Amino acid sequence: MTAPVAREHPRGLVILGHPVAHSRSPVFQSAALEAAQLSVRYTRIDTPPDRLDDTLRQCAEERWGGNITVPLKELVAERCTRLSNVAMRAGAVNTFWFDGNQLVGHNTDVDGANATIDALCPNGLNGPVVLLGAGGSAAAVLVALTERKSAELTVIARTPERAEALLTRVGATGVVRSSDDALVNDLLGSASLVINATPIGMRDDALPVAIERLGSDTAVYDLVYRDLGTAWTRAAKARGLRAEDGLRMLVEQGAAAFHCWFGIEPSRDVMWKSLGLNGPPQHGAIRSST
Ligand code: NAP
């Protein structure tokens, strides 16, 4: 699928979210902009949902593009005058720009999810896939999963109706279960890939699923990222499982967004180094800082 590219470069870049102070996008995007010798600034704008329309009006006036984060991805998708196919299927936008008067929305979280799944499962998905969560990022993961030959899919969600609606919107075939469902244990034990798309583990060392419940050949993909990896990925690696947190997804969604805005590939090396890392995580090894 060809990614959309802006007809004119944005004059500035912003990340809109609430809260947004924690976002690392300004760090690695600014480094990539400098390396590409583009004199464009990338800044954060804390945007509560009730300020979204005013902020988007300002972006239109200033000809700014940028990224969207929690809790605005679905709200921006509703406001776009043009959506890429993947953004339409996900019902969520993480990358935007203006073409003339049109607000264009795309979803590069799908690229980030694809890159991570490819790295974790280079030989494809050979068993059930279990997705935890049914929010905006789960939507992007589901779009990525439907782009490949995927085995049986189960979504585990604490609000099952949200997961059912998500499967329908994305056009994915799958089963929805609650985490206390008796069948979930067997599923986890035979899964080729288990993906956490909930915020569990973001602020503490809580695990979305106990590592002992996973099979000995299950790959672990945590969308959450923390310095030195999340507790879940560290525990998985300690058990000898292939595991990645959300950092590769973060960098890859950012690189794909950069291509949308400027039509060129950014330096991923520069992006990783600006985060204090040598490159994407190596499976089996605890990440070390540069
Ligand atoms: P979201 O739209 O708020 O959805 C969160 C989902 O997790 C919902 O289904 C929610 O259930 C569920 N959930 C929340 N707390 C839970 C708990 N304690 N137990 C069970 N389920 C719980 O958020 P999102 O945008 O999908 O983001 C989810 C996570 O992914 C965040 O930590 C975010 O930082 C991360 N993320 C990472 C990247 C990356 O580049 N690495 C990109 C996007 C997102 P309900 O529907 O019942 O509320």
Side-chain angles (χ1 to χ4, degrees):
M1 197 180 301
T2 318
V5 174
R7 283 207 298 262
E8 54 180 274
H9 298 176
R11 291 190 196 150
L13 293 168
V14 288
I15 179 158
L16 312 182
H18 183 66
V20 78
H22 65 283
S23 171
R24 297 205 196 169
S25 291
V27 174
F28 68 82
Q29 293 289 11
S30 299
L33 287 162
E34 193 183 335
Q37 298 185 318
L38 288 162
S39 53
V40 173
R41 284 187 67 217
Y42 188 117
T43 53
R44 301 175 178 90
I45 303 184
D46 194 306
T47 311
D50 63 356
R51 296 277 310 147
L52 179 60
D53 289 320
D54 285 346
T55 307
L56 286 175
R57 236 184 323 272
Q58 184 188 3
C59 292
E61 281 164 14
E62 305 282 357
R63 313 305 296 162
W64 291 339
N67 290 122
I68 305 294
T69 188
V70 184
L72 305 174
K73 290 180 185 183
E74 286 95 346
L75 294 175
V76 171
E78 287 164 11
R79 285 158 174 75
C80 283
T81 36
R82 216 169 81 214
L83 282 177
S84 68
N85 285 338
V86 286
M88 206 178 301
R89 288 183 64 203
V93 159
N94 82 323
T95 300
F96 75 96
W97 62 90
F98 289 89
D99 270 350
N101 290 330
Q102 291 198 314
L103 171 57
V104 186
H106 182 43
N107 192 315
T108 66
D109 284 338
V110 178
D111 301 79
N114 266 322
T116 311
I117 296 168
D118 285 344
L120 276 171
C121 306
N123 302 319
L125 300 166
N126 305 313
V129 175
V130 178
L131 173 62
L132 310 167
S137 60
V141 171
L142 270 182
V143 173
L145 287 171
T146 57
E147 285 175 357
R148 63 188 67 227
K149 263 212 195 90
S150 151
E152 183 192 334
L153 169 72
T154 300
V155 182
I156 297 179
R158 71 177 178 185
T159 313
E161 314 82 62
R162 196 174 176 190
E164 297 284 5
L166 182 60
L167 284 170
T168 305
R169 189 172 75 220
V170 170
T173 309
V175 177
V176 175
R177 295 201 186 282
S178 62
S179 54
D180 53 6
D181 189 313
L183 291 172
V184 165
N185 256 346
D186 287 350
L187 255 174
L188 290 169
S190 62
S192 58
L193 177 64
V194 177
I195 305 167
N196 175 38
T198 76
I200 296 171
M202 216 168 125
R203 290 195 177 77
D204 56 25
D205 283 349
L207 308 187
V209 162
I211 291 298
E212 312 80 71
R213 295 176 74 190
L214 306 181
S216 56
D217 203 25
T218 302
V220 167
Y221 170 14
D222 196 350
L223 267 71
V224 175
Y225 52 84
R226 306 243 329 248
D227 289 344
L228 305 180
T230 60
W232 199 42
T233 56
R234 280 186 276 119
K237 286 178 185 178
R239 211 194 119 180
L241 305 182
R242 286 159 295 137
E244 284 215 13
D245 69 6
L247 265 190
R248 187 194 299 266
M249 179 175 185
L250 179 74
V251 168
E252 289 299 327
Q253 64 76 29
F258 192 103
H259 188 271
C260 291
W261 300 319
F262 304 111
I264 55 171
E265 290 295 329
S267 165
R268 286 168 171 77
D269 270 1
V270 164
M271 286 178 156
W272 280 106
K273 288 211 166 73
S274 71
L275 294 171
L277 298 163
N278 284 322
Q282 300 299 309
H283 307 143
I286 302 284
R287 187 188 301 130
S288 61
S289 299
T290 51

